[in-house]
Amino acid sequence: MKAFLFFKRISKRMFYRVFLTYSLIIFLTMSTLFVFLSEYYSDFIVQREIDRQEAVIDEIKSDIHAKHQFVSQGIRQLYQEERLIEDLAFALQHDYQEYIGYRLDKFSSSDSFVPYNFDIYVKNYFSRDPESVALQVRNENLGTEYMYLFDHSRWNQHNQPQEDTGVMVENQPLSKETYVVPKDMYVVEEQINDPVSMDRLGKVRVFFSYENIDRLLSLKETPSKGSFFITNMKKELYYSYGNAPEKLLKDLSYRAVQKKIDLDERYYIQSSIEPTSQLMITAVISEKEMAQLLTYKSTILSIMVLLTVLSISLPYIALRGYSKRVDEILSKMKEVQEGNLSARIITANVDDDLTDISHTINETLDDLNDYIDRVYLSKLKQREAELANLQAQINPHFLYNTLEAIRMKSLAEGGRTSAKMIVQLAQLFRYSLKTEDLVKVENEINHAHQYIELFKIRFQNQLINDFHVEDKVKDYYMPPFVLQPLIENYLLHGFRRDIETNQLTVSIYADRGTLFINIEDNGSGIEQKKLEDIKARLKQEEGNSDSIGLGNVHRRIQLKYGSDYGVEIRSLPHVKTSVTVKLPLISEV
């Protein structure tokens, strides 16, 4: 259960999931690679050893073939010299005493003082091969036999003279068979025929030692020596090398073959037939000997284990560093989630994705703090402006109730004009009591009308006002107390009391998502220098809290909607003044 909970817990960590997945992939890859390499090199090494044994078999076949070629060439040279074949034919067809007389007669009748006969030819030619031990010439019909020894020590090693016989001297013939054929010598036979009558005269048998094959097998460069057999088609053993059991020969057929045989253990066997002698050379390698060649498996396994450990440990060290940095990022993000916006991630000196993420988060937190400061500050400034606006209404609740009492008193005394002025003033203050952030354009226009009508009672027939408002914009929304302060600004500073042609025009329309309010008068205007000062104050970020006029309206709009909106003023002294207000087009609250 604890193990399950542990794996469930670490499975949620990206580092462990990536590391475990990577480790599993590496392990499976290395395991597959080990199995593949083991099988491949097992087959490769076994086949390589079999190929080596096959090469040795070919060398043995070549050596046997060379011995046959050596004997065949010697017999062919014998036929090419007439007196030599005649000498041999007479020796095989007569007894030794007659042959001695024949040789003396030939020598006496010869012009040469140097005797040349079959004995001398045998000594000169067949003794050239260092592996030739003896030569036997025999007429099987007459029983005539001559034996020539080229290496007494090797011959006597394997043969002991029988009774009533003396030790034979080199080139000295024996008239009867007194020696048996040694088992550790290879015999090459050639038929001797009469060159004229083609009658069979006898056989020449040359005895060779296996010294060259022994040297070849003992010096061959291969970890596994193996065993070798030379047999004939009757499975009679001519030669053996190694410790493989001879009972393997019983399971072999007389043909070239390459196979496996299971007896007490498994053997890899291949055989080949030498065409000249018709002998079969067989090579045998036991699985035990082959197993010694497969020690590379432990080496491959060790290398694979080492590579696996390195492949897992090195990424683990690298990923562990990443994991710690991810933990640091998560920890700081939790602090931010809990409200600590001053938390910052310590960035590493490594240029990678986590460093970029850390920088991005830190910069986002900095921007967030700046944004909060700006929004909070904007809210404070907006509230400050609204408070200043409300304070400028001279406590409207108290003033409204007082004005209502005065109006009732004026009506009771018959002062209807005073009562009308009080009603309009009361409606103005009633509007000022509203605390909505946004009001309909129509309500704002009505409020401006009330203010203008109140002013007209005081200055009768001196002000002409005109409102041009698109019907569709009346239902849009705008901040309150925008029109009245701007109109009041004209009435206080631009209204000319000495004339009766004062004109005030208010135009309200919508264009490309923006609500435009244009207030134009034909008042006294503004001097250029003063106009520049007013424009400069409008561009300042800090507004004047004591003012509820042009600057107050401009500042409230920009704090609420941004620098793309606000108030613009244009004026020509003694001609006209135009104020344009830009607001976003708001259709719903």
Side-chain angles (χ1 to χ4, degrees):
M1 187 63 180
K2 290 183 178 180
F4 174 76
L5 293 175
F6 172 74
F7 282 107
K8 184 178 180 180
R9 180 174 61 84
I10 67 173
S11 65
K12 296 181 179 179
R13 298 287 301 277
M14 180 61 68
F15 164 71
Y16 290 109
R17 289 170 62 184
V18 172
F19 178 71
L20 290 176
T21 303
Y22 173 80
S23 299
L24 181 61
I25 293 173
I26 289 295
F27 178 76
L28 292 177
T29 302
M30 290 299 182
S31 299
T32 304
L33 186 60
F34 172 72
V35 172
F36 171 76
L37 290 177
S38 297
E39 293 298 325
Y40 174 78
Y41 279 103
S42 294
D43 296 339
F44 173 76
I45 290 180
V46 169
Q47 187 59 45
R48 184 180 64 182
E49 188 61 23
I50 290 176
D51 292 342
R52 286 177 175 176
Q53 302 296 64
E54 185 178 3
V56 173
I57 290 175
D58 290 340
E59 292 184 23
I60 294 175
K61 288 167 61 179
S62 178
D63 185 76
I64 293 175
H65 179 73
K67 288 179 171 55
H68 280 269
Q69 288 290 102
F70 177 73
V71 174
S72 296
Q73 185 178 359
I75 299 302
R76 284 197 299 270
Q77 290 184 12
L78 183 66
Y79 279 112
Q80 289 174 0
E81 299 199 30
E82 183 178 353
R83 56 179 177 174
L84 290 180
I85 192 65
E86 288 178 356
D87 185 74
L88 176 59
F90 189 90
L92 291 175
Q93 292 174 350
H94 298 81
D95 59 19
Y96 183 68
Q97 295 297 329
E98 292 175 333
Y99 172 61
I100 292 299
Y102 171 78
R103 281 174 56 180
L104 290 174
D105 292 339
K106 282 285 186 181
F107 180 73
S108 62
S109 62
S110 174
D111 297 333
S112 174
F113 295 99
V114 179
Y116 185 64
N117 50 46
F118 178 73
D119 292 349
I120 296 174
Y121 173 75
V122 166
K123 178 180 180 181
N124 292 339
Y125 180 82
F126 289 99
S127 63
R128 288 186 300 175
D129 191 325
E131 288 190 287
S132 62
V133 179
L135 181 142
Q136 181 190 54
V137 182
R138 178 181 175 82
N139 188 327
E140 295 177 349
N141 295 327
L142 300 177
T144 307
E145 177 182 299
Y146 296 89
M147 181 71 73
Y148 298 90
L149 296 183
F150 309 119
D151 192 331
H152 290 274
S153 60
R154 275 191 286 183
W155 180 266
N156 293 331
Q157 247 178 350
H158 308 287
N159 295 275
Q160 294 297 329
Q162 298 180 358
E163 294 181 0
D164 301 330
T165 60
V167 177
M168 183 172 59
V169 181
E170 183 181 350
N171 296 335
Q172 193 171 22
L174 298 178
S175 60
K176 61 181 179 179
E177 187 175 0
T178 57
Y179 292 91
V180 296
V181 178
K183 289 184 179 181
D184 59 345
M185 289 190 184
Y186 178 63
V187 180
V188 178
E189 292 186 357
E190 284 285 343
Q191 185 72 37
I192 301 295
N193 298 322
D194 190 309
V196 179
S197 63
M198 298 303 294
D199 293 335
R200 182 174 179 178
L201 296 178
K203 283 185 179 180
V204 174
R205 304 174 70 191
V206 182
F207 299 86
F208 294 94
S209 70
Y210 289 107
E211 185 178 277
N212 192 42
I213 296 177
D214 288 339
R215 182 169 57 253
L216 172 68
L217 295 178
S218 62
L219 296 179
K220 71 186 182 74
E221 296 180 357
T222 173
S224 174
K225 296 299 182 182
S227 300
F228 292 85
F229 300 100
I230 299 178
T231 56
N232 60 11
M233 62 181 61
K234 297 179 181 179
K235 297 185 181 181
E236 295 174 344
L237 183 63
Y238 275 48
Y239 174 82
S240 66
Y241 177 87
N243 53 7
E246 294 184 6
K247 62 182 179 180
L248 285 172
L249 300 177
K250 297 178 182 179
D251 296 327
L252 293 178
S253 56
Y254 182 74
R255 60 188 177 89
V257 68
Q258 182 174 331
K259 63 179 182 177
K260 299 176 184 177
I261 293 181
D262 292 320
L263 294 176
D264 52 342
E265 60 180 293
R266 175 169 291 183
Y267 294 90
Y268 297 88
I269 296 177
Q270 59 177 334
S271 58
S272 180
I273 298 174
E274 201 283 315
T276 304
S277 63
Q278 294 297 304
L279 296 178
M280 184 172 71
I281 297 93
T282 304
V284 180
I285 309 173
S286 68
E287 195 171 53
K288 288 183 179 179
E289 285 186 325
M290 196 66 71
Q292 296 176 1
L293 299 175
L294 303 181
T295 54
Y296 75 93
K297 284 188 177 182
S298 60
T299 303
I300 291 180
L301 180 60
S302 301
I303 294 174
M304 289 297 177
V305 170
L306 179 61
L307 291 177
T308 302
V309 171
L310 290 176
S311 300
I312 292 176
S313 59
L314 293 180
Y316 174 82
I317 295 172
L319 288 176
R320 185 59 183 166
Y322 278 99
S323 177
K324 290 181 178 179
R325 294 168 63 192
V326 171
D327 292 342
E328 172 71 13
I329 293 174
L330 291 176
S331 175
K332 295 299 181 181
M333 292 305 294
K334 287 181 180 178
E335 290 185 29
V336 173
Q337 187 179 14
E338 292 171 358
N340 182 15
L341 297 181
S342 62
R344 294 295 181 271
I345 301 170
I346 300 175
T347 56
N349 293 326
V350 183
D351 186 12
D352 57 12
D353 294 342
L354 290 182
T355 301
D356 293 340
I357 291 172
S358 300
H359 281 304
T360 302
I361 292 175
N362 288 340
E363 291 172 359
T364 302
L365 289 173
D366 292 337
D367 293 341
L368 181 59
N369 282 329
D370 291 342
Y371 178 76
I372 290 174
D373 290 341
R374 282 189 289 106
V375 171
Y376 180 70
L377 211 62
S378 299
K379 285 292 184 181
L380 286 179
K381 291 179 180 179
Q382 184 176 352
R383 292 302 178 190
E384 182 181 340
E386 292 174 353
L387 180 59
N389 188 35
L390 290 175
Q391 288 175 345
Q393 306 308 312
I394 317 170
N395 200 343
H397 281 286
F398 173 75
L399 185 58
Y400 173 75
N401 293 330
T402 304
L403 289 174
E404 183 65 19
I406 295 172
R407 185 182 74 85
M408 294 303 294
K409 182 69 173 173
S410 295
L411 285 175
E413 294 177 351
R416 293 186 176 276
T417 301
S418 299
K420 183 180 178 182
M421 293 179 65
I422 293 171
V423 168
Q424 291 176 338
L425 183 58
Q427 289 178 349
L428 288 174
F429 283 117
R430 185 189 297 274
Y431 183 78
S432 68
L433 287 175
K434 295 181 179 180
T435 58
E436 292 93 339
D437 288 337
L438 294 172
V439 296
K440 283 190 175 183
V441 173
E442 186 177 12
N443 294 339
E444 184 72 5
I445 293 172
N446 291 335
H447 177 64
H449 271 299
Q450 295 293 335
Y451 182 77
I452 293 172
E453 289 300 320
L454 183 61
F455 186 83
K456 279 182 171 183
I457 295 174
R458 181 182 175 189
F459 299 98
Q460 294 184 6
N461 302 321
Q462 286 188 274
L463 176 62
I464 301 172
N465 64 286
D466 192 10
F467 278 78
H468 301 282
V469 183
E470 293 181 353
D471 291 337
K472 64 179 181 180
V473 303
K474 290 182 180 180
D475 291 329
Y476 287 115
Y477 289 85
M478 62 180 289
F481 304 107
V482 172
L483 278 176
Q484 184 266 331
L486 298 179
I487 293 172
E488 181 183 9
N489 204 52
Y490 156 66
L491 296 177
L492 291 177
H493 303 289
F495 184 78
R496 297 170 63 181
R497 299 181 184 182
D498 56 339
I499 64 172
E500 295 182 355
T501 57
N502 290 289
Q503 179 75 33
L504 177 65
T505 304
V506 179
S507 302
I508 304 177
Y509 59 94
D511 184 23
R512 290 178 292 184
T514 303
L515 181 66
F516 290 93
I517 301 173
N518 188 63
I519 302 170
E520 185 174 319
D521 65 74
N522 61 349
S524 57
I526 306 172
E527 295 294 334
Q528 184 66 31
K529 183 177 180 182
K530 187 176 181 180
L531 180 63
E532 295 297 330
D533 292 339
I534 293 173
K535 289 182 178 181
R537 286 199 299 271
L538 290 179
K539 291 181 180 179
Q540 292 178 0
E541 294 185 359
E542 298 295 332
N544 186 354
S545 299
D546 296 331
S547 173
I548 59 171
L550 192 68
N552 183 275
V553 172
H554 178 72
R555 183 56 50 197
R556 283 195 295 126
I557 292 173
Q558 287 209 330
L559 287 174
K560 194 172 187 68
Y561 301 114
S563 59
D564 291 336
Y565 303 96
V567 178
E568 295 180 2
I569 184 169
R570 296 175 296 278
S571 182
L572 291 175
H574 310 293
V575 178
K576 67 176 180 177
T577 299
S578 176
V579 177
T580 302
V581 181
K582 292 174 61 178
L583 290 168
L585 201 59
I586 303 171
S587 60
E588 294 181 359
V589 177

